[in-house]
Amino acid sequence: MTEHNMALAQLEPGEKAIIEFKDVNKWYGDFHVLKNIDFSIKKGERIVVCGPSGSGKSTMIRCVNRLEEHQKGSIIVDGIEMNDNLKNIETIRKDVGMVFQHFNLFPHLTILENLTLAPIWVRKMPKKEAEEMAMHYLERVKIANQANKFPGQLSGGQQQRVAIARGLCMKPRIMLFDEPTSALDPEMIKEVLDVMVQLADEGMTMICVTHEMGFAKTVADRVVFMDAGEIVEANEPHQFFDNPQHDRTQLFLSQILNH
Amino acid sequence: MAKIFQPSPSLPPPVNSVGAVAWIRRNLLSSPLNILLSVFSVYLVYLLIPPIVSWAFINATWVGESRAECAPGGACWAFVNVRFNQFMYGLYPAPEYWRVNIAGILLLVLVAGYAVKAINKAILTAAIMVGYPVVAYVLFAGGMFGMPEVETALWGGLFLTMLLGIIGIVASFPLGVLLALGRQSDMPIAKSVCIVFIETIRAVPLITILFMASVMIPLFLPDGMNFNKLMRVLIGITLFSAAYMAEVIRGGLQAIPKGQYEAADAMGLTYWQSMVLVILPQALKLVIPGIVNTFIGLFKDTTLVYIVGMFDFLGIIQLATHNAKWLGTTIEGYAFAAFVYWVICFGMSRYSMSIERKLETGHKRN
């Protein structure tokens, strides 16, 4: 690793990590799905996580807002350790937005209601204020004219943009993206990636599980490669793509880039 | 230069089969077997309908004081005519019928309020769930405001059937939701309590529960701590129906994709917020047919109260057919009962279909 990479991977003295994995292990029954994950993310950093399916990428980011529990080690998000304390979990979930592969919009609510639900009930925001904010974010993802439709009436790309706006409505400090473009038609991937690039440019702390290597190259501060529940390699994109250190990474890259 | 792609214009579908003749040809006479079945059906209608019409309408007697005054070969609707008030109100004293009528009209007015946009639905629901039962009870039971007391043993007929059905439906629904959520919950004690309750109640016939409620519970209660038989029967019916309701709703809960629970969790909604705002609205909508099925079943099961000595609509009709003046009117009695039950249950079923249409948000497309 070059000196430059070391600086990226490690924190300056006195600098606080916004997300810190310390020796995190997780099992599904007997299956050891996460092995000794040790990793810190600085505020404003954009991390892309890639790797073959079943490598534990999604599981890792789902541990950040405790959609999954880890059994060993510790995860500290924004200074709060994630454990069984429900108050802590609720506090963190308010500050961490999540976008899912299958959008997971609420089909019985209109687009606008999808966006205002959490601000009204979790942040206790007045309805009018929440709606104004929701319209603002809908405009940002260029979909304000669909505000009163139901999710089922929108295309996949539109739904995913609504899902991103829904996450932003909680004014999160961190956004998690779990394969946000994997369920989309090729023609719709770009419109979603554009929104994510815009968000990255504004300095949002992001962890993004994705196979979009173009996105990783242009946006990521670091690319993390996982296999069999471990972080094999984490490096800045330039180094990661041009000079992978690990043979497993090389194999993975050759398979996804040369098809 | 690249060619410019112009989508072809959309055309209307071909119109080659409209009109009654085409419909008959397509639906009734499309194959030799269908022709045979159609002819057979027409023959069946010819065999059945004319005798029924002549019995029920042409040869029927509408007015009279006993079975003997009714013409033979025709329905004796005079029986229903003379006993109509009893069928409606049971043994409730005739000068007090107005109290039941007012309570009924009040309920209809309140429920109709849901169709009025200007009325706050939360307040209306509170009025129906909390205020109305008190008013209705005071009207039915009396004993205050100068209204003579009418004990519950005299309540009967369609009035009692509606009372049992409506209270059973309104009370068993929320209880069923709680039981279903409990059975799905991660808390081991709540979960086991719900499972034991549901499985026990479902494994026992309603008749047994009604017997227990009316005969056995008083034996175990200390002296002086006895409460009203109608109340006990109502609790029995409600618990019975809630167990079935819980399983119907659990089916709906299981049909909701895991992603919906996760999205609600990830936003920081609490358990109750995510259930009430996200999961239940979707789950209940999915199982409206099952819920209405349970409601209709409950409504008809209320007829079983006759075995613990209460005279609901069917019970009072049966009782009346045993009267010496009206011997031989069983068919008319049952036909009338069947007609009234059909109107009410068919109404419920149509209403549920209209709710389903209203709640459709087009997400089936995915």
Side-chain angles (χ1 to χ4, degrees):
Chain A
M1 240 187 239
T2 65
E3 256 172 52
H4 180 63
N5 294 332
M6 293 298 287
L8 270 172
Q10 288 176 348
L11 299 166
E12 309 280 342
E15 192 178 12
K16 278 195 73 180
I18 195 164
I19 302 173
E20 209 172 351
F21 289 85
K22 280 189 198 155
D23 197 27
V24 173
N25 281 271
K26 175 174 173 61
W27 288 263
Y28 286 127
D30 288 337
F31 179 56
H32 198 172
V33 59
L34 292 181
K35 299 173 188 162
N36 306 321
I37 303 290
D38 248 317
F39 194 64
S40 305
I41 295 164
K42 286 183 292 187
K43 187 169 180 314
E45 242 191 324
R46 286 143 304 195
I47 306 291
V48 164
V49 185
C50 59
S53 53
S55 60
K57 329 179 276 296
S58 290
T59 309
M60 184 176 82
I61 73 162
R62 288 156 61 90
C63 283
V64 173
N65 62 354
R66 211 170 172 80
L67 287 183
E68 304 281 357
E69 292 173 23
H70 58 283
Q71 282 97 17
K72 226 182 112 205
S74 67
I75 299 174
I76 296 163
V77 182
D78 217 359
I80 296 174
E81 166 142 24
M82 300 307 281
N83 51 25
D84 285 333
N85 185 333
L86 275 177
K87 267 271 161 304
N88 284 354
I89 297 174
E90 277 171 23
T91 311
I92 286 307
R93 283 177 175 169
K94 278 186 213 172
D95 280 336
V96 179
M98 186 155 195
V99 175
F100 299 87
Q101 180 176 1
H102 296 288
F103 331 135
N104 297 353
L105 296 178
F106 304 134
H108 62 299
L109 300 178
T110 63
I111 301 305
L112 192 62
E113 288 166 340
N114 263 280
L115 267 69
T116 55
L117 187 76
I120 289 174
W121 291 92
V122 180
R123 291 246 188 263
K124 313 288 177 206
M125 192 182 273
K127 190 173 173 213
K128 201 158 166 55
E129 198 181 317
E131 283 179 351
E132 278 166 15
M133 181 185 65
M135 288 311 294
H136 164 74
Y137 282 113
L138 283 178
E139 263 156 38
R140 266 190 51 180
V141 300
K142 301 187 182 66
I143 209 158
N145 54 343
Q146 315 275 10
N148 293 314
K149 287 195 180 168
F150 287 99
Q153 297 164 315
L154 268 55
S155 75
Q158 290 174 321
Q159 289 193 48
Q160 193 62 297
R161 284 186 280 151
V162 171
I164 294 173
R166 181 174 72 171
L168 294 176
C169 274
M170 285 294 279
K171 306 240 194 258
R173 296 159 58 84
I174 302 164
M175 282 291 282
L176 306 174
F177 292 86
D178 188 0
E179 305 206 23
T181 56
S182 300
L184 295 178
D185 291 343
E187 283 189 316
M188 295 172 180
I189 291 176
K190 188 177 175 297
E191 64 187 52
V192 171
L193 288 180
D194 284 347
V195 172
M196 290 167 62
V197 170
Q198 189 193 353
L199 203 58
D201 290 344
E202 288 164 17
M204 174 71 76
T205 309
M206 293 165 70
I207 310 181
C208 183
V209 174
T210 185
H211 300 295
E212 295 298 328
M213 289 302 129
F215 176 78
K217 276 180 192 164
T218 51
V219 169
D221 294 313
R222 274 188 290 163
V223 182
V224 174
F225 173 67
M226 290 183 75
D227 189 27
E230 289 178 77
I231 294 184
V232 177
E233 187 166 348
N235 217 331
E236 64 157 62
H238 177 66
Q239 287 289 329
F240 182 85
F241 289 106
D242 298 341
N243 187 17
Q245 305 290 310
H246 214 283
D247 62 341
R248 181 67 188 89
T249 319
Q250 287 169 6
L251 179 68
F252 177 76
L253 288 175
S254 71
Q255 275 167 347
I256 62 166
L257 295 176
N258 306 324
H259 61 83
Chain B
M1 207 181 99
K3 288 182 193 168
I4 296 166
F5 170 68
Q6 277 279 337
S8 311
S10 302
L11 302 171
V15 199
N16 52 16
S17 49
V18 280
V21 177
W23 187 91
I24 289 172
R25 190 173 289 164
R26 195 169 62 239
N27 292 290
L28 302 180
L29 309 170
S30 61
S31 73
L33 179 66
N34 274 358
I35 294 173
L36 199 68
L37 287 175
S38 298
V39 170
F40 181 67
S41 305
V42 170
Y43 181 63
L44 265 187
V45 168
Y46 164 76
L47 277 188
L48 286 175
I49 299 301
I52 290 178
V53 170
S54 84
W55 176 81
F57 300 105
I58 299 168
N59 295 329
T61 309
W62 299 87
V63 189
E65 285 307 313
S66 75
R67 178 74 180 98
E69 291 177 30
C70 288
C76 185
W77 298 127
F79 165 61
V80 173
N81 204 350
V82 168
R83 294 298 185 110
F84 187 78
N85 280 342
Q86 209 182 51
F87 293 171
M88 292 298 118
Y89 305 95
L91 304 175
Y92 209 85
E96 309 298 327
Y97 284 167
W98 63 272
R99 282 153 56 177
V100 176
N101 295 343
I102 284 191
I105 291 166
L106 184 59
L107 183 62
L108 287 178
V109 168
L110 283 173
V111 171
Y114 280 106
V116 182
K117 255 209 155 106
I119 296 176
N120 182 325
K121 300 298 178 292
I123 295 173
L124 185 61
T125 306
I128 291 177
M129 302 300 279
V130 183
Y132 178 75
V134 176
V135 174
Y137 180 78
V138 169
L139 278 169
F140 293 155
M144 25 186 144
F145 306 118
M147 292 183 292
E149 190 178 342
V150 181
E151 54 174 323
T152 54
L154 300 178
W155 302 9
L158 190 61
F159 159 51
L160 179 65
T161 295
M162 295 301 278
L163 184 89
L164 292 170
I166 291 173
I167 297 182
I169 284 170
V170 171
S172 69
F173 180 66
L175 192 57
V177 170
L178 288 179
L179 284 167
L181 290 176
R183 194 169 183 166
Q184 294 283 80
S185 103
D186 296 330
M187 292 178 286
I189 295 178
K191 188 174 177 151
S192 342
V193 168
C194 293
I195 292 179
V196 168
F197 176 87
I198 292 169
E199 296 303 336
T200 311
I201 297 274
R202 279 204 309 171
V204 176
L206 179 56
I207 291 188
T208 321
I209 290 175
L210 292 177
F211 258 125
M212 300 252 286
S214 71
V215 183
M216 285 176 65
I217 290 176
L219 291 180
F220 299 131
L221 287 174
D223 282 344
M225 221 206 95
N226 202 353
F227 59 103
N228 186 288
K229 181 158 91 177
L230 176 65
M231 188 59 126
R232 280 180 269 135
V233 162
L234 259 175
I235 293 174
I237 289 178
T238 303
L239 295 183
F240 184 80
S241 179
Y244 281 87
M245 188 63 69
E247 288 298 276
V248 170
I249 292 169
R250 189 166 68 96
L253 291 175
Q254 282 177 344
I256 302 302
K258 213 173 142 230
Q260 294 288 312
Y261 292 86
E262 288 179 348
D265 284 348
M267 288 177 164
L269 294 175
T270 64
Y271 173 79
W272 287 108
Q273 284 174 340
S274 66
M275 288 304 136
V276 171
L277 299 169
V278 176
I279 305 301
L280 283 173
Q282 298 182 58
L284 294 179
K285 194 193 114 181
L286 277 178
V287 293
I288 288 174
I291 290 173
V292 175
N293 214 8
T294 312
F295 283 168
I296 289 176
L298 162 74
F299 185 74
K300 292 188 296 184
D301 278 350
T302 58
T303 54
L304 289 173
V305 298
Y306 87 92
I307 63 151
V308 294
M310 300 175 88
F311 290 103
D312 72 317
F313 184 54
L314 190 67
I316 202 98
I317 289 178
Q318 273 178 324
L319 189 71
T321 59
H322 296 160
N323 186 295
K325 278 206 293 185
W326 295 105
L327 283 177
T329 52
T330 329
I331 296 176
E332 287 84 349
Y334 280 125
F336 178 61
F339 174 71
V340 171
Y341 277 109
W342 180 82
V343 167
I344 293 170
C345 295
F346 185 69
M348 281 200 255
S349 130
R350 298 303 297 187
Y351 182 63
S352 87
M353 284 164 75
S354 80
I355 290 181
E356 276 183 75
R357 268 196 303 276
K358 211 171 113 188
L359 295 180
E360 179 56 54
T361 59
H363 67 279
K364 268 186 199 143
R365 211 183 69 174
N366 290 357

